[in-house]
């Protein structure tokens, strides 16, 4: 099949594109190579994809509609995975414009193109952050998610809403996939696992927000990609009946649209993350505690029953195994990309 993957040089886009290529598919990767973190890491991931002759790449921002449209017209993708976005919860507090532009305007352009070129299935990367400060655990796809805590979450919520309207109006089968804190090799230098391993190895101090008490359901990137590839053939149909598996499906009553959580099955606190990294790297980490966690959910925990009903799988790779694999990659080459790791929350937030 022919897949368009936006954000292909990003952490998850890279793993997904590589898996699709390994499975024998053709992939058009589009990525604007933004400088949110070291572009060298994106180039390196992309160079690995370019070793496949079924991979084409275009360094294009989604907001550049004519260029994007010409690419899609020429490639004629059957399935679109839309992962390109300005990610990062904390960074969005200080840089809202970037998020509105990349996520809302960028997604809008992509939806307009999908409307014209009609893929068999459009799958969009959404986030656990859209559940906001919801305290009904575990998070189920059908529960209310109207109260985003960060600009990032608000833009992702807007993308889900826009995609639903396009699915309804133009009959574009659409799945919004809500990822939960994804870790693994080739991971993002702004995220906690990279920061903690890098600080351990270099003897730097880590900043721990929310006094380390925040809880995250974390997901191994390999499990995520497996689930994403299985969802390709689970195409939502308008007006389909509720699932018969005893699970409340999030299918829309008026559009071929649904939301699905993909989460890893392990919940860890930030303190446990630091302790595990310390143990597995055999390096001491100096901790600097901060009480603030503005814009962030205190806890994320997913219901994965819908994913299981739709695909038969239930991700479960343990956190310790994820850290081991990450540390091994960090020592091989990951250490190179920390220099430009973005600062997180300014003291004044
Ligand atoms: P990433 O930053 O590594 O990848 C995103 C890629 O998109 C980058 O390579 C960037 O250059 C590109 N990009 C950004 N804006 C663009 C634009 N307007 N046009 C073209 N390219 C653009 O992030 P990631 O961790 O791989 O995340 C992938 C997707 O998954 C994002 O949509 C993110 O919001 C979502 N997500 C990630 C996580 C996680 O834990 N990593 C969790 C929830 C949701
Ligand atoms: C991650 C991604 O960065 C988002 O793009 C994504 O949307 C989100 O997952 C999601 O699941 O929706 P986050 O959970 O904040 O966001 O992931 P990390 O950046 O790895 O942070 C994990 C935890 O560690 C958070 O509680 C954070 O406050 C904490 N942390 C992070 C620190 O205490 N110190 C740091 O230096 C970095």
């Amino acid at each position: 099949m022919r897949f368009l993957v936006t954000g292909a040089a990003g952490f998850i886009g890279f793993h997904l594109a590589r898996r699709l290529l390994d499975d024998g598919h053709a992939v058009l990767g589009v990525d604007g190579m933004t400088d949110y973190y070291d572009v060298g890491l994106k180039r390196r991931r992309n160079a690995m994809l370019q070793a496949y002759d079924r991979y084409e790449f275009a360094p294009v921002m989604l907001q550049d509609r004519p260029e994007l449209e010409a690419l899609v017209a020429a490639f004629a993708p059957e399935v679109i995975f839309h992962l390109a976005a300005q990610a990062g919860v904390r960074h969005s507090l200080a840089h809202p414009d970037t998020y509105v532009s990349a996520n809302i305007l960028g997604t809008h352009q992509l939806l307009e193109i999908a409307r014209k070129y009609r893929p068999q299935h459009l799958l969009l990367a959404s986030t656990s952050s859209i559940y906001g400060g919801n305290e009904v655990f575990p998070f189920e796809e059908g529960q209310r998610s109207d109260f985003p805590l960060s600009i990032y979450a608000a833009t992702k919520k807007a993308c889900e809403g826009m995609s639903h309207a396009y699915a309804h109006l133009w009959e574009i089968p659409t799945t919004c996939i809500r990822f939960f804190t994804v870790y693994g090799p080739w991971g993002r230098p702004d995220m906690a696992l990279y920061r903690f391993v890098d600080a351990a190895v270099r003897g730097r101090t880590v900043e721990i927000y929310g006094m380390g008490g925040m809880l995250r359901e974390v997901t191994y990137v390999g499990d995520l990609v497996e689930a994403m590839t299985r969802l390709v053939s689970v195409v939502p149909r308008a007006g389909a009946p509720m699932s018969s598996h005893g699970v409340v499906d999030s299918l829309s009553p008026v559009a071929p649209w649904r939301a699905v959580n993909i989460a890893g099955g392990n919940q860890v606190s930030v303190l446990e993350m630091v302790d595990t990294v310390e143990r597995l790297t055999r390096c001491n980490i100096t901790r600097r505690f901060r009480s603030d966690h503005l814009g962030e959910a205190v806890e994320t925990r997913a219901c994965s029953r819908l994913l299981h009903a739709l695909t038969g799988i239930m991700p479960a790779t343990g956190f310790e195994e994820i850290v081991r694999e990450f540390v091994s990659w960090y020592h091989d080459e990951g250490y190179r990309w920390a220099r430009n790791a973005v600062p997180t929350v300014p003291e004044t937030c």
Side-chain angles (χ1 to χ4, degrees), residues 11-12 31-32 34 37 42 62-63 83 85 152 156 182 188:
F11 165 43
I12 299 169
D31 196 304
T34 64
Y37 58 82
K42 298 184 183 184
L62 298 179
Q63 297 91 318
L83 277 72
Y152 168 73
K156 284 289 186 173
V182 185
R188 280 173 23 210

Side-chain angles (χ1 to χ4, degrees), residues 6-14 30-37 42 45 59-63 82-88 98 101-103 106-107 124-129 152 156 177-183 186-191 219 224:
T6 74
F11 165 43
I12 299 169
F14 158 70
V30 170
D31 196 304
M33 303 299 231
T34 64
D35 63 0
Y36 170 58
Y37 58 82
K42 298 184 183 184
R45 296 183 188 123
V60 168
M61 290 296 280
L62 298 179
Q63 297 91 318
H82 173 38
L83 277 72
Q86 176 59 54
T98 316
S101 175
N103 302 355
T107 298
L124 288 90
S126 187
T127 166
S128 69
S129 302
Y152 168 73
K156 284 289 186 173
I177 311 178
R178 298 177 180 162
F179 304 163
F180 282 66
T181 310
V182 185
Y183 294 134
W186 303 94
R188 280 173 23 210
D190 63 307
M191 291 185 70
T219 313
L224 173 71

Side-chain angles (χ1 to χ4, degrees), residues 256-320:
W257 185 101
R258 69 155 60 87
V260 188
N261 293 333
I262 302 184
N266 319 259
Q267 200 192 39
V268 284
S269 73
V270 177
L271 270 188
E272 284 165 336
M273 288 186 198
V274 181
D275 289 347
T276 309
V277 167
E278 206 166 41
R279 190 160 41 80
L280 296 182
T281 57
R282 299 204 185 92
C283 299
N284 291 327
I285 297 179
T286 312
R287 298 151 172 77
R288 180 172 166 235
F289 289 94
R290 290 172 56 162
S291 57
D292 53 305
H293 55 85
L294 194 64
E296 301 196 61
V298 171
E299 175 172 359
T300 64
R301 193 177 352 136
C303 173
S304 294
R305 293 176 63 202
L306 179 58
L307 177 72
H308 186 255
L310 297 174
T311 66
I313 60 168
M314 191 74 100
T317 303
F319 184 62
E320 194 161 314

Side-chain angles (χ1 to χ4, degrees), residues 112-248:
E112 278 293 317
I113 287 170
R115 168 184 168 185
K116 197 159 163 189
Y117 294 95
R118 314 206 61 78
Q120 292 168 20
H121 196 176
L122 170 63
L123 300 101
L124 288 90
S126 187
T127 166
S128 69
S129 302
I130 71 139
Y131 292 107
N134 216 322
E135 289 184 356
V136 180
F137 296 108
F139 297 155
E140 284 182 20
E141 292 84 348
Q143 81 189 47
R144 282 190 80 175
S145 55
D146 301 329
F147 308 112
L149 299 175
S150 67
I151 309 300
Y152 168 73
T155 61
K156 284 289 186 173
K157 177 84 186 154
C159 292
E160 283 204 1
M162 285 197 304
S163 75
H164 181 271
Y166 273 76
H168 168 63
L169 292 167
W170 317 113
E171 289 278 321
I172 305 166
T174 301
T175 300
C176 284
I177 311 178
R178 298 177 180 162
F179 304 163
F180 282 66
T181 310
V182 185
Y183 294 134
W186 303 94
R188 280 173 23 210
D190 63 307
M191 291 185 70
L193 180 57
Y194 194 119
R195 284 169 166 262
F196 296 166
V197 170
D198 188 63
V201 174
R202 295 179 200 252
R204 292 185 182 150
T205 302
V206 297
E207 290 209 316
I208 299 181
Y209 309 123
M211 302 305 283
M214 281 189 278
L215 292 160
R216 287 287 174 276
E217 180 153 347
V218 300
T219 313
Y220 173 55
V221 69
D223 289 341
L224 173 71
V225 164
E226 176 64 31
M228 290 171 81
T229 55
R230 288 186 188 225
L231 281 172
V232 168
S233 57
V234 187
V235 182
R237 304 274 173 222
M242 302 292 262
S243 165
S244 58
H245 305 81
V247 177
V248 179

